């Protein structure tokens, strides 16, 4: 039986107060197993990004419990959360969000440098990911010198290179054409199968929904369906 | 990596970075230049004071300075001289008779301070010989010649060759004695007091007149090897109390002048703090602008595992890089500006300040310790300026920052 990497219980998230109060999440219960390739889907404003932010400790819940890799996120300080994300969670954003003043190589290395990974191992891992993602020869380029697809590959490499337990990707294909998006999804699916890495997407993209092994549908902050394919 | 990131971030907006570093650099240049000016000015004032009459130190009998009693001559002169001449840095000494007297001429009378000197000894100690504007300097310790300041000559309407009578109390009986002199030279030192109320005659003549043969009131001393403040690096040994003599450095003889140089340090410290605080506020503003512009990026950096402390350090490193550039630019400019003025000087001649008249141009001069202190101050205030932005970055929630995305 697969190990559970995320357990969320009765999550509520409210923004604003009084008349401007918005319930972004209502009574969300969720379990994610190691090796899941899950997509959180739903219309805009349904709470997908909020849920993703809460799952990685970027945002707090208003009430409820959440444990990732066996640790309660609510009990952690800002610094502990940052270190926890560095060790256990890889993030991929919609708009790539690479650090513009760092080269491809440095962007990928960044998290490993924070982790104090030895130079030789760091270089080895970066080389491996560059090859896997078809970015060889582009190590010394800056993000502005790359296409959108290439930038997103670098972002994926940055998220995966530190061997996190979970990759959370917020609409990773939204800014890409369908062909490039499809290629990236295939790569992620490959990593998921080969390395047993857990992927959770928030998306509208039918390509992701098609490839996901599990579809979690959110509407008005509630999980309305959670189906394995 | 954080250093690399900080350095590169700094150059994302080159104009802003250069402008900010120019502000710090100009502050640094202003502080260094003002300081070198003050050091030059102090050195000038001390040099004027010690070169004109005082010397770097003086020996008197205890009580002479307060009472100006003609009987209070230096005790055991020979032993005292031997003691003083042992000092390896002693360059010159001048033994003087000093007495309050009345100078009379056909045109009237004036109270004056009479100095009995050895013209050759005095030539090495003060600049009366160079200050002669009419006639000649004294040529003997025993002549009947007298020289005096141009203001006094003007007041008494004196010309070269005029006969003058000096009246003073002798040391034995306290009776008033008189001596006839002939005016041989008029000097202009630029010092109000000396030019208006001082006369110089041969020492032996005055000793005979005051019945002080073989005795003197004052030994003025000049030393080599001085600190930048004009104080002998190896101060002469003070006589024992039993000798009933005293040796005072110029810092004790003219404490007001010494105080000025000490006050200058304090004034510069206050001025520097105010100036750098103003600059620091400007730098805080610049760093905050940079922070708000890159809010989303900082959100990304924090969300992928950069701890609040590492993020704050990133901001501090940017400030340190900015400070380093500014210090390099500032030091280059400061050295250039100071060297320029140190070469040509700034003309303050004739202006009197704290009883000392500037005789020469002021040449800015470095105190090397300040060339280290002010850059450190610049860096300190630049880091201080970065504390608030760093604090903001520390407490910034990544999720809030990620919402600030500019599309």
């Amino acid at each position: 039986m697969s190990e559970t990497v995320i357990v969320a219980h009765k999550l509520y998230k409210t923004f604003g107060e009084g008349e401007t109060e918005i319930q972004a999440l209502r009574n969300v219960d969720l379990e994610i197993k190691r090796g899941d390739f899950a997509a959180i889907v739903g219309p805009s404003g349904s709470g997908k990004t909020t849920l993703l932010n809460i799952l990685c400790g970027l945002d707090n819940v208003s009430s409820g419990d959440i444990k990732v890799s066996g640790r309660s996120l609510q009990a952690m300080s800002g610094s502990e959360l940052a270190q926890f994300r560095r060790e256990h969670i890889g993030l991929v954003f919609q708009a790539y969000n690479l650090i513009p003043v760092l080269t491809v190589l440095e962007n990928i290395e960044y998290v490993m440098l924070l982790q104090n990974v030895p130079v030789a191992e760091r270089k080895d891992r970066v080389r491996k990911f560059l090859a896997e993602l078809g970015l060889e020869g582009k190590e010394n380029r800056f993000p502005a010198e790359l296409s959108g697809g290439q930038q997103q590959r670098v972002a994926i490499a940055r998220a995966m290179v530190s061997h996190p337990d979970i990759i959370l990707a917020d609409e990773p294909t939204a800014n890409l054409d369908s062909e490039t998006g499809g290629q990236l999804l295939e790569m992620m699916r490959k990593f998921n199968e080969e390395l047993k890495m857990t992927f959770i997407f928030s998306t509208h993209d039918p390509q992701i929904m098609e490839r996901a092994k599990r579809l979690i549908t959110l509407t008005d902050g509630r999980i309305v369906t959670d189906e394995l394919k | 990596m954080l250093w690399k990131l900080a350095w590169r971030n700094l150059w994302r907006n080159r104009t802003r970075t250069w402008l900010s570093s120019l502000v710090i650099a100009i502050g640094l240049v202003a502080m260094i230049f003002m300081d070198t000016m003050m050091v030059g000015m102090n050195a000038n004032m001390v040099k004027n004071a010690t070169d004109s009459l005082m010397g770097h130190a003086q020996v008197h009998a205890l009580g002479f300075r307060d009472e100006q009693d003609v009987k209070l001559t230096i005790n055991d002169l020979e032993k005292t001289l031997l003691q003083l001449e042992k000092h390896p840095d002693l360059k010159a000494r001048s033994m003087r008779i000093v007495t309050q007297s009345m100078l009379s001429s056909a045109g009237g009378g004036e109270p004056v301070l009479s100095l009995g000197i050895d013209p050759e000894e005095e030539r090495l100690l003060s600049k009366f010989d160079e200050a002669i504007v009419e006639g000649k300097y004294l040529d003997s310790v025993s002549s009947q010649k007298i020289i005096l300041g141009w203001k006094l000559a003007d007041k008494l309407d004196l010309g070269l060759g005029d006969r003058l009578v000096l009246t003073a109390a002798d040391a034995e009986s306290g009776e008033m004695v008189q001596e006839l002199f002939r005016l041989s030279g008029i000097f202009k030192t630029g010092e109000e007091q000396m030019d208006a109320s001082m006369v110089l005659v041969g020492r032996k003549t005055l000793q005979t007149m005051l019945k002080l043969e073989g005795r003197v009131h004052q030994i003025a001393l000049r030393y080599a090897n001085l600190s930048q403040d004009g104080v002998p690096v190896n101060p002469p040994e003070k006589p024992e109390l039993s000798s009933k003599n005293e040796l005072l450095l110029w810092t004790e003889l003219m404490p007001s002048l010494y105080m000025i140089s000490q006050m200058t340090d304090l004034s510069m410290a206050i001025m520097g703090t105010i100036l750098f605080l103003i600059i620091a506020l400007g730098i805080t503003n610049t760093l905050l602008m940079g922070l708000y512009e890159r809010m989303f990026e900082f959100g990304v950096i924090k969300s992928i595992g950069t701890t609040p402390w590492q993020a704050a350090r990133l901001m501090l490193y940017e400030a340190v890089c900015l400070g380093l550039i500014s210090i390099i630019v500032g030091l280059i400019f400061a050295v250039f500006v100071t060297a320029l003025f140190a070469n040509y000087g700034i003309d303050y001649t004739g202006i009197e300040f704290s009883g000392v008249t500037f005789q020469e141009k002021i040449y800015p001069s470095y105190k090397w310790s300040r060339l280290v202190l002010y850059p450190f101050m610049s860096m300190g205030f630049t880091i201080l300026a970065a504390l608030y932005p760093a604090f903001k970055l520390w407490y910034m929630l990544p999720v809030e920052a990620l919402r600030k995305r500019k599309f």
Side-chain angles (χ1 to χ4, degrees):
Chain A
M1 192 168 166
S2 297
E3 179 195 348
T4 306
V5 287
I6 297 178
V7 184
H9 182 57
K10 291 194 181 307
L11 297 187
Y12 284 86
K13 177 68 184 176
T14 309
F15 292 108
E17 279 178 273
E19 286 181 9
T20 59
E21 187 179 289
I22 297 165
Q23 287 266 336
L25 294 179
R26 301 160 200 243
N27 198 22
V28 170
D29 285 316
L30 182 67
E31 278 194 13
I32 302 284
K33 306 274 186 200
R34 182 170 300 280
D36 263 0
F37 198 77
I40 301 170
V41 297
S44 291
S46 59
K48 302 187 294 294
T49 301
T50 303
L51 180 58
L52 224 54
N53 285 340
I54 286 171
L55 293 182
C56 64
L58 283 178
D59 209 347
N60 301 318
V61 285
S62 301
S63 67
D65 300 313
I66 177 155
K67 279 188 179 174
V68 178
S69 297
R71 292 190 62 189
S72 169
L73 297 189
Q74 288 103 309
M76 290 188 211
S77 66
S79 184
E80 285 169 334
L81 276 171
Q83 287 178 48
F84 183 80
R85 278 195 298 274
R86 186 197 296 169
E87 304 296 333
H88 298 278
I89 299 169
L91 290 174
V92 180
F93 301 91
Q94 177 182 337
Y96 335 132
N97 300 333
L98 301 173
I99 302 167
V101 291
L102 298 183
T103 62
V104 166
L105 182 79
E106 290 162 346
N107 261 291
I108 300 173
E109 267 188 323
Y110 183 81
V111 177
M112 288 191 290
L113 275 159
L114 297 179
Q115 290 174 320
N116 294 319
V117 175
V119 182
E121 191 185 339
R122 216 164 61 215
K123 299 290 170 202
D124 190 49
R125 284 203 223 168
V126 171
R127 202 168 355 99
K128 197 175 123 197
F129 271 94
L130 284 171
E132 288 273 5
L133 292 162
L135 289 165
E136 283 165 312
K138 296 192 167 52
E139 297 87 333
N140 297 318
R141 295 213 185 159
F142 286 95
E145 297 167 341
L146 302 176
S147 68
Q150 287 169 332
Q151 285 189 56
Q152 196 61 307
R153 284 182 210 195
V154 177
I156 291 166
R158 179 180 69 185
M160 295 179 59
V161 77
S162 57
H163 297 158
D165 301 330
I166 311 147
I167 303 282
L168 297 176
D170 187 10
E171 311 227 20
T173 52
N175 286 5
L176 304 175
D177 61 71
S178 59
E179 193 186 336
T180 311
Q183 285 169 358
L184 280 176
L185 284 170
E186 278 311 311
M187 265 176 217
M188 289 192 263
R189 183 73 192 249
K190 192 174 141 213
F191 288 128
N192 168 253
E193 277 167 9
E194 289 175 2
L195 304 172
K196 295 288 169 227
M197 215 172 256
T198 310
F199 282 80
I200 305 172
F201 300 91
S202 113
T203 189
H204 285 114
D205 186 354
Q207 288 197 94
I208 297 182
M209 295 183 215
E210 229 170 74
R211 287 173 172 84
K213 296 181 202 165
R214 181 177 169 188
L215 272 182
I216 301 157
T217 310
L218 273 180
T219 304
D220 296 332
R222 285 194 179 89
I223 294 178
V224 289
T225 60
D226 184 351
E227 46 189 315
L228 286 171
K229 288 164 56 183
Chain B
M1 180 61 93
L2 288 178
W3 278 109
K4 193 186 277 184
L5 196 52
W7 177 254
R8 290 188 191 164
N9 275 337
L10 206 58
W11 296 107
R12 290 166 78 166
N13 193 329
R14 282 169 192 272
T15 312
R16 189 163 64 201
T17 298
W18 276 122
L19 281 175
S20 303
S21 76
L22 263 181
V23 170
I24 305 172
I26 288 169
L28 187 59
V29 172
M31 281 307 296
I32 291 176
F33 182 68
M34 281 299 292
D35 193 81
T36 56
M37 268 285 293
M38 289 296 181
V39 171
M41 192 183 275
N42 282 336
N44 194 308
M45 284 165 67
V46 169
K47 192 169 179 294
N48 282 342
T50 54
D51 280 6
S52 57
L53 184 70
M54 188 165 49
H56 298 124
Q58 288 182 355
V59 179
H60 304 101
L62 277 176
F64 176 77
R65 282 192 319 125
D66 296 331
E67 297 168 27
Q68 295 283 304
D69 186 343
V70 70
K71 289 179 214 156
L72 286 174
T73 53
I74 291 171
N75 298 294
D76 208 347
L77 183 60
E78 268 183 41
K79 192 180 160 195
T80 307
L81 278 174
L82 275 175
Q83 193 77 27
L84 292 171
E85 282 166 358
K86 274 187 205 162
H87 195 289
D89 294 337
L90 183 71
K91 234 168 108 179
R93 56 145 179 86
S94 176
M95 293 189 289
R96 296 168 181 157
I97 295 289
V98 182
T99 188
Q100 300 291 341
S101 48
M102 176 65 77
L103 182 74
S104 313
S105 74
E110 276 293 318
V112 293
L113 182 73
S114 300
L115 293 189
I117 58 159
D118 176 335
E120 289 314 307
E121 278 182 5
E122 196 63 39
R123 203 188 284 275
L124 299 172
L125 209 123
S126 56
K127 288 186 172 172
F128 285 107
D129 58 325
E130 292 171 22
I132 297 290
V133 286
E134 216 178 314
K136 284 180 183 171
Y137 181 58
L138 297 175
D139 53 11
S140 152
V141 288
S142 54
S143 73
Q144 294 303 117
K145 290 175 183 169
I146 187 167
I147 61 171
L148 44 76
W150 69 277
K151 282 198 171 171
L152 185 59
D154 213 31
K155 204 168 184 181
L156 294 174
D157 196 20
L158 300 175
L160 292 177
D162 283 357
R163 289 177 179 189
L164 295 164
V165 174
L166 208 57
T167 308
D170 78 32
E172 274 180 13
S173 60
E175 293 286 319
M176 299 308 280
V177 286
Q178 291 191 319
E179 191 73 43
L180 182 69
F181 292 91
R182 199 172 283 277
L183 182 60
S184 70
I186 295 171
F187 56 77
K188 185 177 184 179
T189 62
E191 295 289 334
E192 171 74 21
Q193 225 180 347
M194 286 199 258
D195 290 342
S197 60
M198 188 176 280
V199 301
L200 272 70
V201 296
R203 187 172 69 216
K204 201 157 184 169
T205 310
L206 202 55
Q207 279 171 328
T208 310
M209 175 184 159
L210 301 175
K211 300 193 173 59
L212 284 171
E213 281 87 354
R215 296 154 71 188
V216 295
H217 293 119
Q218 182 180 81
I219 306 172
L221 304 157
R222 172 171 293 286
Y223 291 93
N225 199 11
L226 304 172
S227 73
Q228 207 164 11
D229 295 326
V231 180
V233 172
N234 306 308
E237 205 179 310
K238 298 264 182 182
E240 286 171 19
L241 200 65
S242 60
S243 72
K244 293 189 178 167
N245 290 332
E246 64 176 358
L247 185 149
L248 299 171
L249 290 172
W250 69 262
T251 51
E252 299 159 295
L253 291 164
M254 214 168 170
S256 59
L257 185 59
Y258 188 59
M259 278 295 288
I260 287 172
S261 90
Q262 303 303 304
M263 291 279 285
T264 304
D265 289 354
L266 182 67
S267 313
M268 286 302 292
I270 294 170
M271 208 163 78
T273 307
I274 294 169
L275 181 68
F276 282 124
L277 264 178
I278 294 168
I279 293 170
L281 286 175
I283 302 302
T284 303
N285 184 43
T286 306
L287 291 173
L288 275 178
M289 278 163 65
L291 171 67
Y292 288 124
E293 272 177 15
R294 289 179 283 145
M295 191 63 103
F296 181 81
E297 202 175 303
F298 282 121
V300 172
I301 286 173
K302 285 188 89 170
S303 63
I304 61 174
T306 309
T307 60
W309 167 229
Q310 285 167 328
R313 261 164 56 206
L314 182 60
M315 184 55 75
L316 292 175
Y317 291 171
E318 283 190 27
V320 170
C321 292
L322 182 68
L324 278 177
I325 299 164
S326 314
I327 286 167
I328 292 167
V329 173
L331 278 179
I332 291 170
F333 270 110
V335 168
F336 174 74
V337 171
T338 309
L340 195 73
F341 281 96
N343 192 31
Y344 293 107
I346 301 162
D347 200 354
Y348 270 64
T349 46
I351 296 171
E352 193 178 315
F353 184 61
S354 189
V356 179
T357 308
F358 292 105
Q359 307 288 336
E360 297 168 11
K361 283 182 174 178
I362 291 170
Y363 293 93
S365 167
Y366 293 115
K367 266 191 178 174
W368 293 103
S369 59
R370 307 287 171 80
L371 280 186
V372 178
L373 174 72
Y374 291 131
F376 265 100
M377 266 179 93
S378 307
M379 183 57 87
F381 277 95
T382 309
I383 292 172
L384 189 72
L387 285 182
Y388 179 62
F391 176 81
K392 296 265 304 176
L393 195 49
W394 178 300
Y395 283 101
M396 184 188 77
L397 290 173
V399 70
E400 298 286 338
L402 288 171
R403 290 192 189 117
K404 309 269 185 210
R405 172 96 191 154
K406 283 183 199 163
F407 289 98

